[in-house]
């Protein structure tokens, strides 16, 4: 397997007297780099918080590829805007999912109901996208590392709040002299960049709020009840108030179902007697977020309103893994990205992704690959939030367990990206430090505000980054789910 580091002395080992771990933990707790502790049964401990899982050292990442990923974000923003605007195309895709994925079908049904009720003229033409495009480094013995896109999230892209702090934490350790001196490796403020994610995401929400045009209105954060990753969201709220003088209200879909009101006359959306300018979804991406018909109705009411949605139903849907799969096909991609040079940059980040239908050539190829070399692939359903994928040799048995082959259409087959295997780091979780080989996933945030009727893009910018790092033996990297940690980049 190819290596990322010519020098294997990174990260340097810590001697017995090192205070680095305590210093990092205390910095995290005192700077809001925290997560709510898991619920303990029988005790009233749900108000306890702990530091978020963190790497002790920033993980190495090639500077050129970091810049390339950042540079691609506005291009990806535009691509997904074009996809979200093509509701005919999205409608076609849904037909393939109807009957095999109820959740995606229900989301699209809601979109169609809203389109019908508004007679195709949206009450609010502006939509805000807060996206995150995720990459792993791909290596092979003969090839220099490249970035490969894991997925692009169009709803509830998280960790922009905490991720900025993680870069600050590592920079603090550097400045305070906690990192041991190593001759061969340059740890410097230049190779450990600041991360503007929290501030820029807040700016994205503020731009949408201003476009709505009512200063006293509130940005509604739609959240999950009992969210553990609440402080990540709070940072955006604090920047909105402190930098932009904009207030935030938090409510779950259940609470909105009870207290949210769509004015039948002017179509304004209100909650707790406040007008809502922007609906920012940090919930609503998984079936569990909709426990009652009233929660679906609440989403519909907001969609029907003049509030700017982040994201709209169509934009949410554009982030489906099925869409990612069809965009790999050049004739589809060229429809939404006509410039061949830009298209080449985009598709250079694509891994092989195939559908699983019984009829198309690609579907047939996928079936062959599963039979011959399943160990090179991951199977993904149309779900978000981690923990839903099926890996390697488990794929054939899993597919065989589905009621019948039509259900295979609800999945995509993706080539496994092969990250460098020679990177090690230490991760602190609940105060305990573990070391080992690690894999890092780079996420680049992007904000885009556009007019869905005219197609005009009003704002489009890259909004900082996230580095999540997990031990190499763990297949998924969810931080809140207990697999991963927050990291920052050491540019090499
Ligand atoms: P989700 O929307 O649930 O986050 P992802 O597509 O991001 O779904 O998959 C979850 C995790 O699975 C990723 O963060 C990554 O760790 C791993 N993963 C997904 N696709 C691949 C791939 N093609 N190669 C290697 N690992 C992958
Ligand atoms: Mg996702
Ligand atoms: Mg993901």
């Amino acid at each position: 397997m190819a290596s990322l580091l010519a020098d294997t002395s990174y990260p340097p080992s810590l001697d017995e007297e090192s205070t680095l771990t305590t210093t990092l933990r205390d910095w995290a707790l005192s700077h809001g780099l925290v997560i709510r502790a898991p619920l303990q049964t029988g005790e009233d401990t749900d108000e306890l918080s702990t530091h978020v899982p963190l790497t002790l050292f920033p993980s190495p990442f090639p500077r050129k590829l970091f810049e390339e990923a950042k540079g691609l974000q506005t291009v990806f923003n535009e691509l997904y805007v074009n996809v979200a605007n093509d509701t005919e195309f999205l409608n076609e895709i849904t037909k393939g999912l109807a009957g095999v994925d109820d959740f995606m079908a229900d989301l699209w049904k809601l979109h169609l109901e809203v389109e019908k009720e508004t007679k195709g003229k949206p009450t609010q033409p502006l939509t805000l996208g807060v996206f995150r495009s995720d990459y792993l480094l791909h290596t092979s013995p003969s090839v220099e590392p490249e970035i490969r896109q894991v997925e692009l999230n169009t709803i509830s892209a998280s960790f922009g709040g905490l991720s900025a702090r993680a870069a600050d934490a590592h920079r603090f350790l550097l400045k305070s002299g906690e990192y041991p001196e190593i001759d061969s490796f340059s740890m410097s403020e230049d190779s450990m960049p600041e991360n503007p994610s929290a501030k820029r995401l807040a700016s994205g929400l503020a731009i949408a709020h201003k476009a709505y045009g009512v200063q006293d209105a509130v940005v509604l954060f739609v959240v999950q009840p009992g969210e553990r990753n609440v402080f990540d969201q709070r940072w955006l709220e604090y920047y909105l108030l402190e930098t932009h003088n904009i207030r935030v209200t938090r409510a779950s879909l259940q609470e909105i179902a009870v207290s949210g009101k769509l004015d039948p006359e002017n179509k304004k959306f209100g909650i707790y007697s406040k007008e809502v300018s922007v609906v920012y979804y940090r919930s609503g991406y998984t079936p569990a977020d909709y426990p009652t018909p009233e929660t679906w109705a609440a989403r519909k009411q907001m969609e029907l309103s003049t509030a700017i949605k982040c994201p709209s139903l169509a934009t949410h849907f554009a982030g489906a893994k099925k869409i990612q799969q069809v965009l790999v096909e050049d004739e589809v991609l060229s429809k939404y990205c006509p410039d061949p040079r830009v298209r080449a940059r985009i598709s250079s980040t694509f891994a092989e992704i195939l559908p699983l239908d019984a009829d198309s050539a690609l579907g047939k190829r996928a079936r062959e690959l599963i039979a011959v070399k399943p160990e090179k692939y991951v199977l993904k359903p149309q779900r978000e939030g981690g923990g839903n994928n099926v890996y390697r040799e488990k794929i054939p048995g899993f597919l065989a367990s589905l009621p019948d082959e039509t259900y295979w259409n609800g999945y995509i087959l993706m080539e496994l990206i092969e990250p460098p295997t020679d990177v090690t780091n230490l991760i602190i979780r609940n105060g305990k430090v573990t070391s080992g080989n690690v894999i890092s996933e780079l996420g680049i945030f992007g904000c885009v505000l556009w007019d869905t009727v005219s197609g005009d893009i009003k704002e489009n910018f890259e909004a900082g980054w996230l580095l999540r790092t997990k031990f190499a033996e763990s297949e998924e990297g969810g931080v809140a789910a207990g697999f991963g940690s927050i990291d920052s980049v050491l540019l090499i």
Side-chain angles (χ1 to χ4, degrees):
M1 205 53 59
S3 66
L4 188 63
L5 295 170
D7 185 330
T8 51
S9 65
Y10 186 84
S13 43
L14 299 173
D15 55 38
E16 297 237 313
E17 289 91 64
S18 172
T19 50
L20 188 146
T21 304
T22 321
T23 305
L24 175 61
R25 200 192 51 205
D26 289 353
W27 192 97
L29 290 171
S30 50
H31 290 77
L33 193 40
V34 284
I35 191 161
R36 199 157 271 161
L39 270 179
Q40 306 283 316
T41 46
E43 295 202 32
D44 203 14
T45 51
D46 59 323
E47 293 310 314
L48 290 183
S49 299
T50 177
H51 68 87
V52 77
L54 289 165
T55 59
L56 262 47
F57 291 83
S59 289
F61 201 94
R63 186 184 290 268
K64 202 176 93 212
L65 298 178
F66 180 69
E67 295 302 334
E68 172 65 6
K70 284 201 299 177
L72 272 170
Q73 193 53 40
T74 51
V75 172
F76 270 117
N77 286 350
E78 193 175 337
L79 171 65
Y80 275 79
V81 163
N82 291 342
V83 172
N85 279 349
D86 189 351
T87 48
E88 245 173 71
F89 167 70
L90 298 178
N91 210 18
E92 275 306 304
I93 298 286
T94 323
K95 284 183 193 151
L97 296 175
V100 296
D101 192 311
D102 291 343
F103 182 60
M104 296 313 281
D106 285 349
L107 277 177
W108 193 249
K109 207 174 96 203
L110 207 61
H111 167 84
L112 292 177
E113 283 174 25
V114 169
E115 232 183 19
K116 202 167 160 208
E117 284 183 38
T118 56
K119 301 191 178 62
K121 266 178 78 183
T123 324
Q124 174 54 265
L126 295 176
T127 291
L128 177 69
V130 167
F131 299 157
R132 200 189 68 218
S133 181
D134 291 336
Y135 306 89
L136 285 168
L137 288 174
H138 181 69
T139 55
S140 63
S142 54
V143 188
E144 288 283 294
E146 295 169 347
I147 42 168
R148 288 269 195 285
Q149 189 179 51
V150 175
E151 60 157 347
L152 188 141
N153 295 290
T154 60
I155 184 165
S156 299
S158 61
F159 287 113
L162 295 185
S163 168
R165 297 263 135 183
D168 289 344
H170 288 151
R171 286 164 64 90
F172 172 79
L173 292 174
L174 177 73
K175 227 171 164 177
S176 64
E178 291 284 354
Y179 285 138
E181 296 276 335
I182 31 171
D183 306 332
S184 51
F185 222 97
S186 152
M187 289 181 88
S188 66
E189 291 202 44
D190 171 61
S191 59
M192 294 166 62
E194 283 186 78
N195 183 357
S197 55
K199 287 179 186 156
R200 288 201 194 156
L201 293 182
S203 296
L205 291 165
I207 286 165
H209 173 87
K210 289 203 186 85
Y212 183 83
V214 179
Q215 178 55 33
D216 290 347
V218 296
V219 174
L220 174 59
F221 282 27
V222 184
V223 298
Q224 293 179 332
E227 170 70 78
R228 292 184 55 219
N229 192 25
V230 55
F231 305 104
D232 178 51
Q233 304 169 352
R234 289 284 187 191
W235 277 112
L236 305 189
E237 174 182 337
Y238 302 152
Y239 282 120
L240 273 169
L241 188 66
E242 285 157 19
T243 312
H244 305 280
N245 208 19
I246 297 168
R247 289 186 178 158
V248 166
T249 292
R250 298 167 56 86
S252 67
L253 280 168
Q254 292 94 310
E255 287 163 337
I256 296 166
V258 175
S259 305
K261 293 208 167 43
L262 175 68
D263 187 311
E265 298 301 319
N266 60 20
K267 304 289 179 198
K268 288 183 174 184
F269 195 77
I271 188 162
Y272 311 136
S273 314
K274 285 170 271 184
E275 180 174 350
V276 174
S277 57
V278 181
V279 184
Y280 174 48
Y281 287 96
R282 292 294 295 258
S283 163
Y285 56 84
T286 166
D289 292 337
Y290 302 87
T292 59
E294 289 77 19
T295 49
W296 280 103
R299 179 130 192 215
K300 183 174 170 185
Q301 300 268 290
M302 291 187 277
E303 194 76 8
L304 279 167
S305 77
T306 57
I308 296 176
K309 272 70 68 182
C310 176
S312 65
L313 280 160
T315 310
H316 176 176
F317 200 87
K321 306 240 168 16
K322 183 67 195 170
I323 306 283
Q324 187 191 1
Q325 176 255 306
V326 291
L327 283 176
V328 172
E329 295 166 33
D330 202 56
E331 61 275 28
V332 181
L333 186 63
S334 51
K335 204 170 142 201
Y336 303 108
C337 180
D339 185 329
R341 272 179 309 182
V342 177
R343 204 157 68 239
R345 279 175 68 204
I346 288 184
S347 47
S348 74
T349 71
F350 287 171
E352 181 184 28
I353 312 181
L354 297 164
L356 280 166
D357 61 285
D359 311 317
S360 72
L362 291 176
K364 286 189 182 126
R365 177 172 157 74
R367 284 154 186 257
E368 270 166 42
L369 289 168
I370 289 169
V372 182
K373 44 174 182 177
E375 71 280 2
K376 296 275 183 206
Y377 291 87
V378 51
L379 184 75
K380 299 188 187 183
Q382 311 302 313
R383 284 290 167 279
E384 294 299 329
N388 302 300
N389 299 341
V390 180
Y391 291 87
R392 302 186 173 88
E393 284 83 357
K394 295 199 192 88
I395 297 173
F398 174 83
L399 286 172
S401 75
L402 295 177
D404 65 68
E405 286 201 10
T406 54
Y407 284 88
W408 296 24
N409 291 321
Y411 295 82
I412 59 160
L413 186 73
M414 183 171 185
E415 172 195 7
L416 279 167
I417 304 165
E418 298 191 17
T421 52
D422 62 338
V423 182
T424 61
N425 209 331
L426 298 98
I427 295 176
I428 178 168
R429 169 186 298 281
N430 296 325
K432 229 183 97 217
V433 177
T434 318
S435 69
N437 282 84
V438 293
I439 290 171
S440 297
E441 185 170 333
L442 178 71
I444 307 291
F445 292 99
C447 294
V448 56
L449 180 75
W450 77 99
D451 186 317
T452 51
V453 176
S454 67
D456 265 7
I457 292 182
K458 311 275 180 200
E459 289 279 349
N460 182 7
F461 56 93
E462 175 266 302
W465 45 273
L466 159 71
L467 196 72
R468 271 179 306 175
T469 292
K470 62 178 182 177
F471 286 119
E473 60 269 20
S474 149
E475 272 159 339
E476 301 238 355
V479 177
F483 305 113
S485 64
I486 312 251
D487 197 347
S488 72
V489 291
L490 174 69
L491 298 177
I492 55 169

